[in-house]
Amino acid sequence: MTVLGHPGSWSCRWLPLLLLLLLGTGRDPGVEGVTHYKAGDPVIMYVNKVGPYHNPQETYHYYQLPVCCPEKIRHKSLSLGEVLDGDRMAESLYEIRFRENVEKRILCHMQLTSAQVEQLRQAIEELYYFEFVVDDLPIRGFVGYMEESGFLPHSHKIGLWTHLDFHLEFHGDRIIFANVSVRDVKPHSLDGLRPDEFLGLTHTYSVRWSETSVERRSDRRRGDDGGFFPRTLEIHWLSIINSMVLVFLLVGFVAVILMRVLRNDLARYNLDEETTSGGSGDDFDQGDNGWKIIHTDVFRFPPYRGLLCAVLGVGAQFLALGTGIIVMALLGMFNVHRHGAINSAAILLYALTCCISGYVSSHFYRQIGGERWVWNIILTTSLFSVPFFLTWSVVNSVHWANGSTQALPATTILLLLTVWLLVGFPLTVIGGIFGKNNASPFDAPCRTKNIAREIPPQPWYKSSLVHMTVGGFLPFSAISVELYYIFATVWGREQYTLYGILFFVFAILLSVGACISIALTYFQLSGEDYRWWWRSVLSVGSTGLFIFFYSVFYYARRSNMSGVVQTVEFFGYSLLTGYVFFLMLGTISFFSSLKFIRYIYVNLKMD
């Protein structure tokens, strides 16, 4: 026990430090922590990143473009969430002082080679935008201007914005709003340059301050930033009504139809038991059919029980993780304009909820007669971490090869690995020990015979494929509309703030999955097929496969994403998303079916 307790002592010792490292000292732009200024105080503007407008996860450092750059680049200290979001802030050459206007001040003079001009042309053609940060407020604008007109003759003009107008609003001694504009600026043409010719550029900027009556940044109406990114999503009643109708139909089906059939079955079986009590049990079995006849096999433990318990443990962990993220969002703990805080919270909650996966997996594994509980713990802790690491390795390598800021630095990789080694893995072991020690006997309502009963041939509509199709499609249809808005937020530029609706739809998804699982399990047992253990996991867990198919449809028909970097990241993490939903819904499905089967066989009279 001293060896097993050693990781736990490490986790207790290092946990406070790791929490500080995870949360970080940096702040996401646009959140609390406003700096107070005096008139004339310098206001630092940081340059952050650039990237294609339609590829949200493909971002590069601003200074990778041929732009005005200081001789020595000094970076800002960032939080873990900002690093995971691809932020790489560095000090700029812009000189801004609080409440002091500037008119067309020269930033720098540049002489660009033809290769540098071609780099800028390619960036402008791919609709590159830049992001600056001033006092934790993001400022975004396009790098240049592109115009295509006519068919015959066809004109293709590309220009670079060499002058930027910054508009900042203040209230008292605080900056409330920041924006950039090129409304009255003419772009500098990048066309017609010979290969051996240099292009001379002069970058300038203006700063205009104005006072506002808005006292807090959160009081400013969304969409007042000029609409560079789409506004916040509105309530979509179609998704809500669609989900409510489906869940009412399914719950009504299970509560009315299925329970009525069960009542008739129980009455008939119990009556037959009383009338044939004088005969032998074998004679009774030979004259009966349906789910009653397999009562000696329905609780026969399945093959690969260690893998099954690992799936249930990790699924329970992600159920707790998803619920925790949504509850934290409902409490207003995340900034809606950026995803850094959600990334940090997800990592922290994943590490802390590892004890749930260890407890659930080890507890149920011991209940169903498992002996190799150490191997079960290793399998549980590897079931998600190994596929995630492999996927992340491929995605991060592609980002690194292309110079993207989404490639994690070595220090961040070591931090995340430390969190898993000192918090996640020890908590999984501790949870497994508690689960093993607190496990009670399985206590099946029916005895299980030593020899398994032969399963009669099943019709095609009771096959695993049909059950997976039905069990996956119905929960997916309950969230299909809401899924579009979630994808538009994660893989697009929308801003999702409807966390109350998201919590409601999440509850509907779990309810629909449970109801479908009970119905499909009943139909399977009615066909005298007692192999429900894995079938219940796969039937509703296949919703994850439908979610991945939807991601393919979204990429091809609903987005403008392109390029190797964005494509690899999208499909890599879409596969992981489908896998997580398989684990969550498979766990809900299994425990719903287990509860249902216990209920019907407890109420059945047998010798």
Side-chain angles (χ1 to χ4, degrees):
M1 290 300 293
T2 57
V3 176
L4 292 176
H6 194 52
S9 62
W10 280 6
S11 63
C12 295
R13 186 182 308 166
W14 286 93
L15 184 57
L17 176 60
L18 291 173
L19 294 181
L20 290 176
L21 290 174
L22 281 172
L23 297 177
T25 58
R27 298 184 300 268
D28 288 333
V31 299
E32 299 299 329
V34 180
T35 306
H36 297 272
Y37 297 93
K38 296 179 181 179
D41 284 351
V43 179
I44 300 178
M45 177 175 288
Y46 295 96
V47 298
N48 191 10
K49 55 189 176 183
V50 295
Y53 182 84
H54 296 296
N55 291 355
Q57 279 70 41
E58 183 181 352
T59 55
Y60 306 94
H61 199 288
Y62 180 76
Y63 286 142
Q64 290 182 245
L65 292 178
V67 294
C68 296
C69 177
E71 294 182 1
K72 183 179 180 180
I73 299 177
R74 289 181 292 185
H75 289 85
K76 180 186 177 183
S77 178
L78 302 176
S79 67
L80 175 63
E82 290 171 327
V83 174
L84 295 176
D85 204 30
D87 292 344
R88 302 292 186 271
M89 299 184 199
E91 293 184 6
S92 69
L93 294 175
Y94 294 98
E95 296 180 3
I96 301 176
R97 294 188 176 273
F98 188 66
R99 301 179 64 173
E100 290 186 4
N101 293 334
V102 174
E103 285 295 335
K104 208 164 187 179
R105 177 180 292 174
I106 295 177
L107 184 66
C108 73
H109 300 283
M110 299 189 68
Q111 290 289 329
L112 300 182
T113 64
S114 59
Q116 291 175 320
V117 172
E118 183 60 30
Q119 184 181 0
L120 286 173
R121 285 177 57 90
Q122 183 178 358
I124 295 172
E125 287 180 339
E126 295 181 7
L127 296 180
Y128 268 47
Y129 75 97
F130 63 85
E131 180 179 280
F132 298 163
V133 178
V134 55
D135 195 24
D136 288 336
L137 288 169
I139 302 176
R140 302 180 181 96
F142 286 105
V143 172
Y145 171 81
M146 182 176 62
E147 177 184 350
E148 292 195 48
S149 61
F151 180 69
L152 288 174
H154 174 69
S155 63
H156 184 73
K157 300 179 181 179
I158 293 180
L160 176 69
W161 300 118
T162 56
H163 179 82
L164 298 177
D165 284 322
F166 296 104
H167 176 216
L168 297 98
E169 296 182 3
F170 66 93
H171 181 87
D173 57 356
R174 293 168 291 123
I175 301 176
I176 303 299
F177 176 74
N179 195 14
V180 64
S181 173
V182 291
R183 183 173 301 173
D184 300 324
V185 180
K186 184 177 180 180
H188 193 288
S189 176
L190 299 181
D191 298 321
L193 186 69
R194 296 193 302 271
D196 57 344
E197 186 178 358
F198 288 87
L199 178 65
L201 295 176
T202 300
H203 288 271
T204 58
Y205 67 98
S206 300
V207 180
R208 295 179 177 85
W209 293 87
S210 61
E211 191 167 7
T212 179
S213 59
V214 179
E215 297 183 2
R216 295 183 301 177
R217 296 175 180 180
S218 58
D219 292 339
R220 189 178 180 91
R221 292 180 301 171
R222 299 187 182 98
D224 289 350
D225 59 351
F228 185 79
F229 287 156
R231 296 188 178 185
T232 305
L233 294 168
E234 301 296 334
I235 297 179
H236 24 279
W237 295 108
L238 177 61
S239 171
I240 302 172
I241 295 174
N242 173 68
S243 302
M244 289 182 62
V245 170
L246 181 60
V247 74
F248 284 148
L249 289 176
L250 287 174
V251 172
F253 170 77
V254 173
V256 178
I257 305 299
L258 199 56
M259 294 306 295
R260 184 175 181 181
V261 172
L262 271 178
R263 189 181 300 112
N264 293 336
D265 286 351
L266 288 171
R268 177 167 59 89
Y269 289 152
N270 291 334
L271 180 61
D272 292 343
E273 176 73 15
E274 294 176 357
T275 56
T276 59
S277 57
S280 64
D282 293 338
D283 295 336
F284 173 75
D285 287 346
Q286 294 175 0
D288 202 359
N289 55 51
W291 55 266
K292 167 62 168 62
I293 200 175
I294 58 173
H295 67 276
T296 57
D297 295 280
V298 72
F299 291 104
R300 186 180 303 279
F301 296 146
Y304 311 108
R305 65 184 72 179
L307 179 60
L308 175 64
C309 294
V311 168
L312 300 179
V314 180
Q317 177 186 3
F318 277 105
L319 284 171
L321 174 62
T323 305
I325 289 290
I326 298 176
V327 170
M328 292 174 67
L330 285 173
L331 296 177
M333 301 178 65
F334 301 137
N335 176 24
V336 300
H337 300 286
R338 298 175 67 83
H339 302 155
I342 296 182
N343 292 335
S344 299
I347 293 174
L348 179 61
L349 285 180
Y350 174 80
L352 295 180
T353 55
C354 283
C355 59
I356 298 178
S357 64
Y359 181 87
V360 173
S361 177
S362 182
H363 184 270
F364 194 73
Y365 183 69
R366 178 54 64 94
Q367 277 191 326
I368 61 176
E371 298 294 338
R372 303 171 61 189
W373 73 272
V374 176
W375 168 249
N376 173 253
I377 290 297
I378 297 176
L379 182 60
T380 301
T381 195
S382 305
L383 194 64
F384 174 78
S385 59
V386 171
F388 175 80
F389 176 77
L390 295 176
T391 304
W392 171 84
S393 298
V394 174
V395 173
N396 199 68
S397 299
V398 173
H399 281 298
W400 177 80
N402 288 271
S404 172
T405 60
Q406 296 288 338
L408 295 183
T411 53
T412 304
I413 297 175
L414 290 177
L415 173 62
L416 297 178
L417 183 61
T418 303
V419 170
W420 186 81
L421 288 176
L422 298 184
V423 180
F425 182 72
L427 287 180
T428 306
V429 175
I430 293 172
I433 294 174
F434 277 99
K436 176 180 70 73
N437 294 335
N438 295 333
S440 57
F442 186 73
D443 193 22
C446 310
R447 296 192 307 270
T448 301
K449 290 184 177 181
N450 295 329
I451 302 177
R453 185 184 184 90
E454 183 179 356
I455 301 174
Q458 301 294 313
W460 65 270
Y461 54 84
K462 290 187 178 181
S463 63
S464 298
L465 182 61
V466 174
H467 277 207
M468 291 176 62
T469 303
V470 175
F473 176 75
L474 289 178
F476 168 78
S477 63
I479 62 170
S480 58
V481 178
E482 192 72 19
L483 203 60
Y484 166 78
Y485 295 99
I486 296 175
F487 269 67
T489 301
V490 176
W491 302 108
R493 303 296 185 181
E494 304 287 353
Q495 297 174 1
Y496 195 96
T497 59
L498 306 174
Y499 298 115
I501 303 299
L502 181 61
F503 184 80
F504 177 73
V505 173
F506 184 67
I508 285 180
L509 174 65
L510 301 183
S511 302
V512 171
C515 294
I516 288 297
S517 174
I518 292 174
L520 293 178
T521 299
Y522 173 78
F523 292 140
Q524 180 183 0
L525 298 182
S526 298
E528 302 178 15
D529 186 354
Y530 51 83
R531 299 169 300 180
W532 63 271
W533 300 76
W534 277 107
R535 178 77 68 86
S536 63
V537 174
L538 297 175
S539 59
V540 181
S542 62
T543 305
L545 193 61
F546 281 87
I547 291 177
F548 177 74
F549 289 155
Y550 177 81
S551 68
V552 176
F553 168 78
Y554 180 87
Y555 181 88
R557 298 295 183 180
R558 292 291 184 266
S559 73
N560 296 310
M561 292 183 285
S562 61
V564 176
V565 175
Q566 184 68 33
T567 302
V568 170
E569 170 144 341
F570 178 84
F571 285 106
Y573 288 126
S574 293
L575 273 172
L576 278 180
T577 302
Y579 181 53
V580 168
F581 272 90
F582 164 77
L583 295 173
M584 286 196 305
L585 296 179
T587 300
I588 286 291
S589 175
F590 176 83
F591 284 114
S592 300
S593 295
L594 178 61
K595 189 73 174 178
F596 169 74
I597 292 175
R598 281 185 176 275
Y599 171 79
I600 62 175
Y601 283 98
V602 163
N603 289 277
L604 189 65
K605 294 180 181 180
M606 291 172 294
D607 291 338

